[in-house]
Amino acid sequence: MGHSAAVWDQRAAIEVTKDWNGIDQVVLRSPRGASARISLYGGQVTSWRNDRGEELLFTSSKAILKAPKGMQGGIPICFPQFGSCGLLEKNGFARNKIWTIDDNPPPLPTNDSTGKAFVDLLLKPSEEDLKSWPHSFEFRLRVSLATNGDLTMISRIRNIDSKPFSFSFAYHTYLSVSDISEVRIEGLETLDYLDYLCQKERFTEQGDAITFENEVDRVYLSSPNIVAVLDHEKKRTFVIRKEGLPDVVVWNPWEKKSKTMTDFGDEEYKQMLCVDAAVIEKPIMLKPGEEWKGRLGITVVPSSYCSEHDPCLSGL
């Protein structure tokens, strides 16, 4: 952008362009060169790059990049339903709607905007949405990129109806990894999880870390607010911090399922891992006028920062 950090112009760090379908997308840039792209189709983060230009999120080379299909990649928003847990389309309708830029959102704490490039998006139900899910709501989403390249997403969902409603939710985060067999997750040890490959049967995690040798589709329950995804080959760690999101989804389709997915490459399971901050087991119930907030922050650090003696999970 040509700006030094000392005179960084926050407004110049935000650009509205068109995506591959002619839909508006917002590009956020940090003074050090990191970037994030957010499509108004689905309010979806479609790209997040570090200051060296390396893509940190996975998107399938076969992803279908137009409505009504949700894109396999980036960070889709699952609302008001996760997966096939209800009567709506899989993962709800929010990821298939056109959001608007919210120029006058209710304020967030100062630390959620100071020194960050950010955009506020807004989704309200259409008449079509109200037929399938008859509840009036306002969904406000802030996506911000900090000076150091950290990505933060804050969702605020308000009930503006005259009756209560409940919903499940997930930030369906596709992380880009070097080789799934060289990745492990720390922070979910000893937790109970629902195994979606076994009719959502409940098990307890036995390993001291989660590693991958076959298909995994699990929801870890009542998880800590910090989880680390260590990529040994790239020698980097994704540190995921979350608030208001008690569950964590871990998903990799592996070889057999990948070959059944028309919008996913046969071998691409090796380069991706979904680790979603979510609310699934106990849906959120909102009374009229109430608001729920769910926050996701992702930091990338060299794996040398994370050791058995000085783990990322200590609150790096």
Side-chain angles (χ1 to χ4, degrees), residues 196-230:
Y196 277 52
L197 301 179
C198 298
Q199 291 76 49
K200 302 179 187 177
E201 189 175 346
R202 192 176 184 121
F203 297 93
T204 300
E205 179 59 52
Q206 302 295 326
D208 56 3
I210 299 170
T211 56
F212 299 89
E213 299 175 345
N214 44 42
E215 182 181 354
V216 173
D217 191 355
R218 301 173 181 173
V219 177
Y220 286 82
L221 309 173
S222 302
S223 62
N225 283 336
I226 302 178
V227 175
V229 181
L230 288 79

PDB file of all heavy atoms in Angstrom, residues 196-230:
ATOM      1  N   TYR A 196     -19.456 -38.616  14.116  1.00  0.00           N
ATOM      2  CA  TYR A 196     -20.471 -38.583  13.059  1.00  0.00           C
ATOM      3  C   TYR A 196     -20.287 -39.743  12.080  1.00  0.00           C
ATOM      4  O   TYR A 196     -21.142 -39.965  11.221  1.00  0.00           O
ATOM      5  CB  TYR A 196     -20.425 -37.240  12.330  1.00  0.00           C
ATOM      6  CG  TYR A 196     -21.206 -36.153  13.038  1.00  0.00           C
ATOM      7  CD1 TYR A 196     -21.006 -35.877  14.384  1.00  0.00           C
ATOM      8  CD2 TYR A 196     -22.173 -35.413  12.357  1.00  0.00           C
ATOM      9  CE1 TYR A 196     -21.720 -34.900  15.037  1.00  0.00           C
ATOM     10  CE2 TYR A 196     -22.902 -34.427  13.007  1.00  0.00           C
ATOM     11  CZ  TYR A 196     -22.669 -34.176  14.346  1.00  0.00           C
ATOM     12  OH  TYR A 196     -23.408 -33.195  14.991  1.00  0.00           O
ATOM     13  N   LEU A 197     -19.212 -40.486  12.199  1.00  0.00           N
ATOM     14  CA  LEU A 197     -19.041 -41.692  11.392  1.00  0.00           C
ATOM     15  C   LEU A 197     -19.650 -42.910  12.085  1.00  0.00           C
ATOM     16  O   LEU A 197     -19.697 -43.991  11.507  1.00  0.00           O
ATOM     17  CB  LEU A 197     -17.551 -41.941  11.121  1.00  0.00           C
ATOM     18  CG  LEU A 197     -16.815 -40.817  10.388  1.00  0.00           C
ATOM     19  CD1 LEU A 197     -15.346 -41.177  10.209  1.00  0.00           C
ATOM     20  CD2 LEU A 197     -17.466 -40.504   9.051  1.00  0.00           C
ATOM     21  N   CYS A 198     -20.104 -42.713  13.327  1.00  0.00           N
ATOM     22  CA  CYS A 198     -20.722 -43.799  14.114  1.00  0.00           C
ATOM     23  C   CYS A 198     -22.064 -43.339  14.683  1.00  0.00           C
ATOM     24  O   CYS A 198     -22.323 -43.487  15.883  1.00  0.00           O
ATOM     25  CB  CYS A 198     -19.793 -44.243  15.240  1.00  0.00           C
ATOM     26  SG  CYS A 198     -18.220 -44.912  14.692  1.00  0.00           S
ATOM     27  N   GLN A 199     -22.897 -42.746  13.828  1.00  0.00           N
ATOM     28  CA  GLN A 199     -24.235 -42.305  14.237  1.00  0.00           C
ATOM     29  C   GLN A 199     -24.201 -41.386  15.468  1.00  0.00           C
ATOM     30  O   GLN A 199     -25.052 -41.469  16.348  1.00  0.00           O
ATOM     31  CB  GLN A 199     -25.172 -43.493  14.509  1.00  0.00           C
ATOM     32  CG  GLN A 199     -25.551 -44.277  13.265  1.00  0.00           C
ATOM     33  CD  GLN A 199     -24.448 -45.188  12.769  1.00  0.00           C
ATOM     34  OE1 GLN A 199     -23.857 -45.946  13.540  1.00  0.00           O
ATOM     35  NE2 GLN A 199     -24.159 -45.125  11.485  1.00  0.00           N
ATOM     36  N   LYS A 200     -23.197 -40.529  15.516  1.00  0.00           N
ATOM     37  CA  LYS A 200     -23.039 -39.541  16.592  1.00  0.00           C
ATOM     38  C   LYS A 200     -22.898 -40.196  17.970  1.00  0.00           C
ATOM     39  O   LYS A 200     -23.243 -39.596  18.991  1.00  0.00           O
ATOM     40  CB  LYS A 200     -24.201 -38.543  16.599  1.00  0.00           C
ATOM     41  CG  LYS A 200     -24.381 -37.786  15.295  1.00  0.00           C
ATOM     42  CD  LYS A 200     -25.550 -36.827  15.356  1.00  0.00           C
ATOM     43  CE  LYS A 200     -25.822 -36.212  13.995  1.00  0.00           C
ATOM     44  NZ  LYS A 200     -27.004 -35.323  14.021  1.00  0.00           N
ATOM     45  N   GLU A 201     -22.362 -41.405  17.985  1.00  0.00           N
ATOM     46  CA  GLU A 201     -22.092 -42.061  19.267  1.00  0.00           C
ATOM     47  C   GLU A 201     -21.029 -41.272  20.026  1.00  0.00           C
ATOM     48  O   GLU A 201     -20.122 -40.688  19.444  1.00  0.00           O
ATOM     49  CB  GLU A 201     -21.621 -43.493  19.025  1.00  0.00           C
ATOM     50  CG  GLU A 201     -21.513 -44.332  20.300  1.00  0.00           C
ATOM     51  CD  GLU A 201     -21.156 -45.779  20.028  1.00  0.00           C
ATOM     52  OE1 GLU A 201     -21.241 -46.209  18.853  1.00  0.00           O
ATOM     53  OE2 GLU A 201     -20.775 -46.483  20.992  1.00  0.00           O
ATOM     54  N   ARG A 202     -21.162 -41.276  21.348  1.00  0.00           N
ATOM     55  CA  ARG A 202     -20.269 -40.481  22.197  1.00  0.00           C
ATOM     56  C   ARG A 202     -19.074 -41.323  22.660  1.00  0.00           C
ATOM     57  O   ARG A 202     -19.238 -42.439  23.142  1.00  0.00           O
ATOM     58  CB  ARG A 202     -21.050 -39.960  23.412  1.00  0.00           C
ATOM     59  CG  ARG A 202     -20.325 -38.887  24.227  1.00  0.00           C
ATOM     60  CD  ARG A 202     -21.260 -38.404  25.337  1.00  0.00           C
ATOM     61  NE  ARG A 202     -20.690 -37.315  26.110  1.00  0.00           N
ATOM     62  CZ  ARG A 202     -21.257 -36.117  26.235  1.00  0.00           C
ATOM     63  NH1 ARG A 202     -22.393 -35.848  25.628  1.00  0.00           N
ATOM     64  NH2 ARG A 202     -20.683 -35.182  26.966  1.00  0.00           N
ATOM     65  N   PHE A 203     -17.882 -40.767  22.468  1.00  0.00           N
ATOM     66  CA  PHE A 203     -16.648 -41.410  22.893  1.00  0.00           C
ATOM     67  C   PHE A 203     -15.819 -40.407  23.695  1.00  0.00           C
ATOM     68  O   PHE A 203     -16.125 -39.220  23.732  1.00  0.00           O
ATOM     69  CB  PHE A 203     -15.823 -41.887  21.687  1.00  0.00           C
ATOM     70  CG  PHE A 203     -16.488 -42.939  20.853  1.00  0.00           C
ATOM     71  CD1 PHE A 203     -17.250 -42.584  19.746  1.00  0.00           C
ATOM     72  CD2 PHE A 203     -16.356 -44.285  21.160  1.00  0.00           C
ATOM     73  CE1 PHE A 203     -17.867 -43.551  18.961  1.00  0.00           C
ATOM     74  CE2 PHE A 203     -16.968 -45.265  20.380  1.00  0.00           C
ATOM     75  CZ  PHE A 203     -17.722 -44.895  19.283  1.00  0.00           C
ATOM     76  N   THR A 204     -14.734 -40.903  24.309  1.00  0.00           N
ATOM     77  CA  THR A 204     -13.787 -40.039  25.007  1.00  0.00           C
ATOM     78  C   THR A 204     -12.441 -40.128  24.307  1.00  0.00           C
ATOM     79  O   THR A 204     -11.951 -41.228  24.035  1.00  0.00           O
ATOM     80  CB  THR A 204     -13.639 -40.439  26.481  1.00  0.00           C
ATOM     81  OG1 THR A 204     -14.905 -40.334  27.123  1.00  0.00           O
ATOM     82  CG2 THR A 204     -12.646 -39.525  27.198  1.00  0.00           C
ATOM     83  N   GLU A 205     -11.855 -38.972  24.004  1.00  0.00           N
ATOM     84  CA  GLU A 205     -10.556 -38.939  23.333  1.00  0.00           C
ATOM     85  C   GLU A 205      -9.485 -39.556  24.229  1.00  0.00           C
ATOM     86  O   GLU A 205      -9.308 -39.159  25.375  1.00  0.00           O
ATOM     87  CB  GLU A 205     -10.189 -37.492  22.975  1.00  0.00           C
ATOM     88  CG  GLU A 205      -8.850 -37.333  22.283  1.00  0.00           C
ATOM     89  CD  GLU A 205      -8.772 -38.120  20.983  1.00  0.00           C
ATOM     90  OE1 GLU A 205      -9.684 -37.968  20.141  1.00  0.00           O
ATOM     91  OE2 GLU A 205      -7.809 -38.898  20.832  1.00  0.00           O
ATOM     92  N   GLN A 206      -8.756 -40.523  23.683  1.00  0.00           N
ATOM     93  CA  GLN A 206      -7.748 -41.244  24.463  1.00  0.00           C
ATOM     94  C   GLN A 206      -6.322 -40.778  24.182  1.00  0.00           C
ATOM     95  O   GLN A 206      -5.422 -40.978  24.999  1.00  0.00           O
ATOM     96  CB  GLN A 206      -7.846 -42.745  24.173  1.00  0.00           C
ATOM     97  CG  GLN A 206      -9.211 -43.347  24.480  1.00  0.00           C
ATOM     98  CD  GLN A 206      -9.571 -43.306  25.947  1.00  0.00           C
ATOM     99  OE1 GLN A 206      -8.701 -43.436  26.812  1.00  0.00           O
ATOM    100  NE2 GLN A 206     -10.849 -43.087  26.250  1.00  0.00           N
ATOM    101  N   GLY A 207      -6.078 -40.186  23.032  1.00  0.00           N
ATOM    102  CA  GLY A 207      -4.721 -39.810  22.666  1.00  0.00           C
ATOM    103  C   GLY A 207      -4.270 -38.543  23.369  1.00  0.00           C
ATOM    104  O   GLY A 207      -5.075 -37.747  23.846  1.00  0.00           O
ATOM    105  N   ASP A 208      -2.937 -38.358  23.418  1.00  0.00           N
ATOM    106  CA  ASP A 208      -2.403 -37.132  24.004  1.00  0.00           C
ATOM    107  C   ASP A 208      -2.404 -35.995  22.987  1.00  0.00           C
ATOM    108  O   ASP A 208      -2.102 -34.848  23.313  1.00  0.00           O
ATOM    109  CB  ASP A 208      -0.999 -37.342  24.577  1.00  0.00           C
ATOM    110  CG  ASP A 208      -0.020 -37.876  23.549  1.00  0.00           C
ATOM    111  OD1 ASP A 208      -0.410 -38.025  22.378  1.00  0.00           O
ATOM    112  OD2 ASP A 208       1.139 -38.134  23.915  1.00  0.00           O
ATOM    113  N   ALA A 209      -2.733 -36.312  21.725  1.00  0.00           N
ATOM    114  CA  ALA A 209      -2.963 -35.335  20.664  1.00  0.00           C
ATOM    115  C   ALA A 209      -3.753 -36.050  19.580  1.00  0.00           C
ATOM    116  O   ALA A 209      -3.767 -37.287  19.518  1.00  0.00           O
ATOM    117  CB  ALA A 209      -1.658 -34.795  20.105  1.00  0.00           C
ATOM    118  N   ILE A 210      -4.430 -35.294  18.742  1.00  0.00           N
ATOM    119  CA  ILE A 210      -5.192 -35.901  17.649  1.00  0.00           C
ATOM    120  C   ILE A 210      -4.312 -35.935  16.413  1.00  0.00           C
ATOM    121  O   ILE A 210      -3.804 -34.897  15.965  1.00  0.00           O
ATOM    122  CB  ILE A 210      -6.477 -35.110  17.372  1.00  0.00           C
ATOM    123  CG1 ILE A 210      -7.370 -35.108  18.613  1.00  0.00           C
ATOM    124  CG2 ILE A 210      -7.233 -35.706  16.193  1.00  0.00           C
ATOM    125  CD1 ILE A 210      -8.537 -34.156  18.520  1.00  0.00           C
ATOM    126  N   THR A 211      -4.117 -37.123  15.852  1.00  0.00           N
ATOM    127  CA  THR A 211      -3.393 -37.283  14.600  1.00  0.00           C
ATOM    128  C   THR A 211      -4.307 -37.985  13.599  1.00  0.00           C
ATOM    129  O   THR A 211      -5.395 -38.454  13.953  1.00  0.00           O
ATOM    130  CB  THR A 211      -2.101 -38.091  14.806  1.00  0.00           C
ATOM    131  OG1 THR A 211      -2.429 -39.352  15.401  1.00  0.00           O
ATOM    132  CG2 THR A 211      -1.130 -37.338  15.725  1.00  0.00           C
ATOM    133  N   PHE A 212      -3.856 -38.085  12.330  1.00  0.00           N
ATOM    134  CA  PHE A 212      -4.771 -38.488  11.270  1.00  0.00           C
ATOM    135  C   PHE A 212      -4.201 -39.623  10.434  1.00  0.00           C
ATOM    136  O   PHE A 212      -3.110 -39.523   9.879  1.00  0.00           O
ATOM    137  CB  PHE A 212      -5.085 -37.272  10.385  1.00  0.00           C
ATOM    138  CG  PHE A 212      -5.740 -36.159  11.166  1.00  0.00           C
ATOM    139  CD1 PHE A 212      -4.958 -35.193  11.788  1.00  0.00           C
ATOM    140  CD2 PHE A 212      -7.113 -36.124  11.321  1.00  0.00           C
ATOM    141  CE1 PHE A 212      -5.551 -34.185  12.539  1.00  0.00           C
ATOM    142  CE2 PHE A 212      -7.710 -35.117  12.072  1.00  0.00           C
ATOM    143  CZ  PHE A 212      -6.924 -34.158  12.688  1.00  0.00           C
ATOM    144  N   GLU A 213      -4.992 -40.711  10.375  1.00  0.00           N
ATOM    145  CA  GLU A 213      -4.637 -41.870   9.568  1.00  0.00           C
ATOM    146  C   GLU A 213      -5.811 -42.334   8.713  1.00  0.00           C
ATOM    147  O   GLU A 213      -5.667 -43.255   7.917  1.00  0.00           O
ATOM    148  CB  GLU A 213      -4.178 -43.015  10.467  1.00  0.00           C
ATOM    149  CG  GLU A 213      -2.941 -42.686  11.293  1.00  0.00           C
ATOM    150  CD  GLU A 213      -2.573 -43.805  12.258  1.00  0.00           C
ATOM    151  OE1 GLU A 213      -3.435 -44.697  12.475  1.00  0.00           O
ATOM    152  OE2 GLU A 213      -1.444 -43.777  12.788  1.00  0.00           O
ATOM    153  N   ASN A 214      -6.974 -41.725   8.901  1.00  0.00           N
ATOM    154  CA  ASN A 214      -8.164 -42.084   8.130  1.00  0.00           C
ATOM    155  C   ASN A 214      -9.191 -40.968   8.286  1.00  0.00           C
ATOM    156  O   ASN A 214      -8.916 -39.942   8.913  1.00  0.00           O
ATOM    157  CB  ASN A 214      -8.742 -43.435   8.591  1.00  0.00           C
ATOM    158  CG  ASN A 214      -8.767 -43.542  10.105  1.00  0.00           C
ATOM    159  OD1 ASN A 214      -9.121 -42.592  10.801  1.00  0.00           O
ATOM    160  ND2 ASN A 214      -8.377 -44.694  10.627  1.00  0.00           N
ATOM    161  N   GLU A 215     -10.383 -41.177   7.733  1.00  0.00           N
ATOM    162  CA  GLU A 215     -11.429 -40.162   7.785  1.00  0.00           C
ATOM    163  C   GLU A 215     -11.793 -39.837   9.231  1.00  0.00           C
ATOM    164  O   GLU A 215     -11.917 -40.728  10.076  1.00  0.00           O
ATOM    165  CB  GLU A 215     -12.676 -40.654   7.033  1.00  0.00           C
ATOM    166  CG  GLU A 215     -13.802 -39.632   7.003  1.00  0.00           C
ATOM    167  CD  GLU A 215     -15.046 -40.134   6.284  1.00  0.00           C
ATOM    168  OE1 GLU A 215     -15.003 -41.241   5.698  1.00  0.00           O
ATOM    169  OE2 GLU A 215     -16.063 -39.410   6.299  1.00  0.00           O
ATOM    170  N   VAL A 216     -11.996 -38.550   9.504  1.00  0.00           N
ATOM    171  CA  VAL A 216     -12.396 -38.092  10.828  1.00  0.00           C
ATOM    172  C   VAL A 216     -13.535 -37.090  10.667  1.00  0.00           C
ATOM    173  O   VAL A 216     -13.470 -36.186   9.833  1.00  0.00           O
ATOM    174  CB  VAL A 216     -11.217 -37.422  11.574  1.00  0.00           C
ATOM    175  CG1 VAL A 216     -11.687 -36.799  12.878  1.00  0.00           C
ATOM    176  CG2 VAL A 216     -10.113 -38.427  11.841  1.00  0.00           C
ATOM    177  N   ASP A 217     -14.593 -37.278  11.452  1.00  0.00           N
ATOM    178  CA  ASP A 217     -15.728 -36.348  11.460  1.00  0.00           C
ATOM    179  C   ASP A 217     -16.301 -36.353  12.874  1.00  0.00           C
ATOM    180  O   ASP A 217     -17.134 -37.186  13.212  1.00  0.00           O
ATOM    181  CB  ASP A 217     -16.780 -36.781  10.430  1.00  0.00           C
ATOM    182  CG  ASP A 217     -17.843 -35.721  10.202  1.00  0.00           C
ATOM    183  OD1 ASP A 217     -17.829 -34.686  10.903  1.00  0.00           O
ATOM    184  OD2 ASP A 217     -18.703 -35.925   9.315  1.00  0.00           O
ATOM    185  N   ARG A 218     -15.810 -35.440  13.710  1.00  0.00           N
ATOM    186  CA  ARG A 218     -16.143 -35.454  15.132  1.00  0.00           C
ATOM    187  C   ARG A 218     -16.508 -34.057  15.627  1.00  0.00           C
ATOM    188  O   ARG A 218     -16.028 -33.061  15.106  1.00  0.00           O
ATOM    189  CB  ARG A 218     -14.948 -35.952  15.957  1.00  0.00           C
ATOM    190  CG  ARG A 218     -14.470 -37.348  15.613  1.00  0.00           C
ATOM    191  CD  ARG A 218     -13.182 -37.669  16.350  1.00  0.00           C
ATOM    192  NE  ARG A 218     -12.682 -39.008  16.015  1.00  0.00           N
ATOM    193  CZ  ARG A 218     -11.515 -39.478  16.419  1.00  0.00           C
ATOM    194  NH1 ARG A 218     -10.717 -38.724  17.165  1.00  0.00           N
ATOM    195  NH2 ARG A 218     -11.136 -40.692  16.070  1.00  0.00           N
ATOM    196  N   VAL A 219     -17.326 -34.041  16.682  1.00  0.00           N
ATOM    197  CA  VAL A 219     -17.616 -32.807  17.402  1.00  0.00           C
ATOM    198  C   VAL A 219     -17.133 -32.989  18.837  1.00  0.00           C
ATOM    199  O   VAL A 219     -17.692 -33.788  19.599  1.00  0.00           O
ATOM    200  CB  VAL A 219     -19.120 -32.476  17.391  1.00  0.00           C
ATOM    201  CG1 VAL A 219     -19.388 -31.211  18.216  1.00  0.00           C
ATOM    202  CG2 VAL A 219     -19.626 -32.288  15.964  1.00  0.00           C
ATOM    203  N   TYR A 220     -16.071 -32.281  19.198  1.00  0.00           N
ATOM    204  CA  TYR A 220     -15.536 -32.316  20.564  1.00  0.00           C
ATOM    205  C   TYR A 220     -16.331 -31.342  21.425  1.00  0.00           C
ATOM    206  O   TYR A 220     -16.563 -30.198  21.019  1.00  0.00           O
ATOM    207  CB  TYR A 220     -14.048 -31.968  20.564  1.00  0.00           C
ATOM    208  CG  TYR A 220     -13.194 -33.097  20.031  1.00  0.00           C
ATOM    209  CD1 TYR A 220     -13.024 -33.276  18.664  1.00  0.00           C
ATOM    210  CD2 TYR A 220     -12.581 -33.992  20.900  1.00  0.00           C
ATOM    211  CE1 TYR A 220     -12.259 -34.327  18.170  1.00  0.00           C
ATOM    212  CE2 TYR A 220     -11.810 -35.045  20.420  1.00  0.00           C
ATOM    213  CZ  TYR A 220     -11.661 -35.206  19.055  1.00  0.00           C
ATOM    214  OH  TYR A 220     -10.917 -36.253  18.580  1.00  0.00           O
ATOM    215  N   LEU A 221     -16.720 -31.806  22.607  1.00  0.00           N
ATOM    216  CA  LEU A 221     -17.681 -31.081  23.433  1.00  0.00           C
ATOM    217  C   LEU A 221     -16.994 -30.359  24.593  1.00  0.00           C
ATOM    218  O   LEU A 221     -16.023 -30.857  25.164  1.00  0.00           O
ATOM    219  CB  LEU A 221     -18.726 -32.055  23.976  1.00  0.00           C
ATOM    220  CG  LEU A 221     -19.388 -32.958  22.915  1.00  0.00           C
ATOM    221  CD1 LEU A 221     -20.271 -33.987  23.585  1.00  0.00           C
ATOM    222  CD2 LEU A 221     -20.179 -32.119  21.911  1.00  0.00           C
ATOM    223  N   SER A 222     -17.550 -29.209  24.950  1.00  0.00           N
ATOM    224  CA  SER A 222     -17.073 -28.440  26.121  1.00  0.00           C
ATOM    225  C   SER A 222     -15.558 -28.289  26.086  1.00  0.00           C
ATOM    226  O   SER A 222     -14.852 -28.619  27.033  1.00  0.00           O
ATOM    227  CB  SER A 222     -17.517 -29.122  27.423  1.00  0.00           C
ATOM    228  OG  SER A 222     -18.921 -29.249  27.465  1.00  0.00           O
ATOM    229  N   SER A 223     -15.065 -27.766  24.988  1.00  0.00           N
ATOM    230  CA  SER A 223     -13.625 -27.685  24.759  1.00  0.00           C
ATOM    231  C   SER A 223     -13.040 -26.405  25.356  1.00  0.00           C
ATOM    232  O   SER A 223     -13.752 -25.428  25.593  1.00  0.00           O
ATOM    233  CB  SER A 223     -13.339 -27.720  23.251  1.00  0.00           C
ATOM    234  OG  SER A 223     -13.939 -26.598  22.623  1.00  0.00           O
ATOM    235  N   PRO A 224     -11.724 -26.389  25.596  1.00  0.00           N
ATOM    236  CA  PRO A 224     -11.072 -25.165  26.072  1.00  0.00           C
ATOM    237  C   PRO A 224     -11.123 -24.088  24.995  1.00  0.00           C
ATOM    238  O   PRO A 224     -11.371 -24.377  23.820  1.00  0.00           O
ATOM    239  CB  PRO A 224      -9.638 -25.608  26.356  1.00  0.00           C
ATOM    240  CG  PRO A 224      -9.432 -26.815  25.511  1.00  0.00           C
ATOM    241  CD  PRO A 224     -10.766 -27.500  25.442  1.00  0.00           C
ATOM    242  N   ASN A 225     -10.850 -22.861  25.389  1.00  0.00           N
ATOM    243  CA  ASN A 225     -10.961 -21.739  24.454  1.00  0.00           C
ATOM    244  C   ASN A 225      -9.724 -21.536  23.599  1.00  0.00           C
ATOM    245  O   ASN A 225      -9.692 -20.621  22.769  1.00  0.00           O
ATOM    246  CB  ASN A 225     -11.298 -20.451  25.213  1.00  0.00           C
ATOM    247  CG  ASN A 225     -12.765 -20.413  25.617  1.00  0.00           C
ATOM    248  OD1 ASN A 225     -13.607 -21.058  24.997  1.00  0.00           O
ATOM    249  ND2 ASN A 225     -13.072 -19.669  26.661  1.00  0.00           N
ATOM    250  N   ILE A 226      -8.696 -22.354  23.792  1.00  0.00           N
ATOM    251  CA  ILE A 226      -7.506 -22.297  22.943  1.00  0.00           C
ATOM    252  C   ILE A 226      -7.186 -23.708  22.462  1.00  0.00           C
ATOM    253  O   ILE A 226      -7.091 -24.641  23.260  1.00  0.00           O
ATOM    254  CB  ILE A 226      -6.287 -21.712  23.688  1.00  0.00           C
ATOM    255  CG1 ILE A 226      -6.583 -20.310  24.210  1.00  0.00           C
ATOM    256  CG2 ILE A 226      -5.073 -21.670  22.765  1.00  0.00           C
ATOM    257  CD1 ILE A 226      -5.437 -19.689  24.993  1.00  0.00           C
ATOM    258  N   VAL A 227      -7.028 -23.848  21.150  1.00  0.00           N
ATOM    259  CA  VAL A 227      -6.685 -25.118  20.523  1.00  0.00           C
ATOM    260  C   VAL A 227      -5.555 -24.846  19.536  1.00  0.00           C
ATOM    261  O   VAL A 227      -5.546 -23.802  18.871  1.00  0.00           O
ATOM    262  CB  VAL A 227      -7.905 -25.731  19.794  1.00  0.00           C
ATOM    263  CG1 VAL A 227      -7.515 -27.002  19.044  1.00  0.00           C
ATOM    264  CG2 VAL A 227      -9.038 -26.002  20.774  1.00  0.00           C
ATOM    265  N   ALA A 228      -4.591 -25.747  19.431  1.00  0.00           N
ATOM    266  CA  ALA A 228      -3.454 -25.564  18.534  1.00  0.00           C
ATOM    267  C   ALA A 228      -3.415 -26.662  17.480  1.00  0.00           C
ATOM    268  O   ALA A 228      -3.622 -27.835  17.785  1.00  0.00           O
ATOM    269  CB  ALA A 228      -2.139 -25.562  19.317  1.00  0.00           C
ATOM    270  N   VAL A 229      -3.157 -26.261  16.236  1.00  0.00           N
ATOM    271  CA  VAL A 229      -3.008 -27.186  15.120  1.00  0.00           C
ATOM    272  C   VAL A 229      -1.574 -27.075  14.632  1.00  0.00           C
ATOM    273  O   VAL A 229      -1.175 -26.051  14.075  1.00  0.00           O
ATOM    274  CB  VAL A 229      -3.992 -26.854  13.981  1.00  0.00           C
ATOM    275  CG1 VAL A 229      -3.832 -27.848  12.835  1.00  0.00           C
ATOM    276  CG2 VAL A 229      -5.429 -26.853  14.499  1.00  0.00           C
ATOM    277  N   LEU A 230      -0.776 -28.125  14.872  1.00  0.00           N
ATOM    278  CA  LEU A 230       0.656 -28.108  14.568  1.00  0.00           C
ATOM    279  C   LEU A 230       0.930 -28.809  13.250  1.00  0.00           C
ATOM    280  O   LEU A 230       0.540 -29.969  13.055  1.00  0.00           O
ATOM    281  CB  LEU A 230       1.446 -28.780  15.693  1.00  0.00           C
ATOM    282  CG  LEU A 230       1.544 -28.005  17.020  1.00  0.00           C
ATOM    283  CD1 LEU A 230       0.265 -28.142  17.837  1.00  0.00           C
ATOM    284  CD2 LEU A 230       2.733 -28.499  17.829  1.00  0.00           C
TER     285      LEU A 230
END
